[in-house]
Amino acid sequence: MELGIREKLPLSEIARNFNAYLMGTDRQISKFGNLSSVTDKPQQQLTYVIAEKYLKSFNTSNIGACIVHESLKELCIKEKSYIITSENPEQLFYTIFLNHYQSGHFKTLSSTRDSSTIIAPSAVIHNSVVIGKDCLIMDNVVIMPNTIIGDRVTIKPNTVIGGDGFQVKTLEGRRKVIPHVGGVKIMNDVEIGSSVCIDKGLFGEFTTIHNETKIDNLVHIAHSAVIGESCTIAAGSSIAGAVTVGNNVWIGVNCSINQLLNIGDYSLVGTGSVVIKSVLPHKKVFGSPAKTIGLVCKCRADIISSEEQLVCSQCNNRYAFVEGQLVEVS
């Protein structure tokens, strides 16, 4: 699910309106994004590149259209579509994005609220918010537009759901925090502690918290992150933009996870760790920077080597490495 542009825009029209020109096939654009953005409509996405290596990445991606500086046009290929500009492509991209944001061109949700949900009188629920059954929303919670909350969700005092993330760009000589046009989706049976901030997606995607994940106090989850099922995120941790956390992951107190990383299923991030590279499933990592210090079973006990086999120290589940990945074996 994404919140794109209300009506598709011809790429040729975008180019003409911003003193650039189209190279390649004209396309209907329904969303914006960068090369790492997750979308189910890549052929309708407009992105940008600022260097040759990124243009090569775009050319081999499934994204349809790109803003490119005229000095790189010889590297453009006929299968793709380009807006060719003499300006800085990144600044032009965000200028176009802000223009459509200020014109109200992006979709929003229709508000609904189940009567079984309990909402404290001091909570602030904005328009364009969907709330399911049997939720508890406590004192001074703020829920911003384009938020979807499932069933049996608890949100504790002073938490903010759906604010803008921290995407800072220099446009027209001024540093600006870019407004976000996506949302937040919180699935069923999630519990969110006090003074938590969960930012909405940047380009129309949803920051997502999946079923039965539990989030402690003072946690920050940045724009476009995806948190899997049955995760535990302890107090003070910070998860940066576009991070993907798998299922049944444990993140200890005061951890920091850098942007764009993947944290594999059943992994464990130890207290105070700074994660700067992706973590494979079942790995236990610790430190600053975080390094692998062991393996973790589904039951969260240590996996140990016994008689040339990998065995859980508690439940006796057996594991083996297959093509570099740890898998459970019968």
Side-chain angles (χ1 to χ4, degrees), residues 267-287:
S267 57
L268 187 152
V269 182
T271 296
S273 295
V274 178
V275 181
I276 61 172
K277 62 180 181 179
S278 292
V279 177
L280 292 174
H282 293 282
K283 290 293 182 76
K284 179 191 288 187
V285 301
F286 177 74

Side-chain angles (χ1 to χ4, degrees), residues 18-37:
F18 290 90
N19 299 316
Y21 67 90
L22 172 66
M23 182 175 176
T25 304
D26 201 359
R27 295 177 186 267
Q28 297 294 311
I29 299 301
S30 67
K31 76 176 303 289
F32 296 83
N34 50 41
L35 288 175
S36 61
S37 295

Side-chain angles (χ1 to χ4, degrees), residues 233-287:
I233 304 175
S237 289
S238 181
I239 298 173
V243 167
T244 299
V245 176
N247 299 324
N248 294 277
V249 173
W250 180 287
I251 298 175
V253 174
N254 289 333
C255 292
S256 297
I257 300 176
N258 273 17
Q259 63 185 10
L260 300 173
L261 299 182
N262 294 311
I263 311 299
D265 296 346
Y266 301 104
S267 57
L268 187 152
V269 182
T271 296
S273 295
V274 178
V275 181
I276 61 172
K277 62 180 181 179
S278 292
V279 177
L280 292 174
H282 293 282
K283 290 293 182 76
K284 179 191 288 187
V285 301
F286 177 74

Side-chain angles (χ1 to χ4, degrees), residues 129-147:
V129 172
V130 176
I131 304 176
K133 300 176 182 178
D134 300 315
C135 296
L136 175 60
I137 299 173
M138 301 174 74
D139 296 275
N140 300 315
V141 168
V142 177
I143 302 179
M144 304 293 285
N146 292 336
T147 299

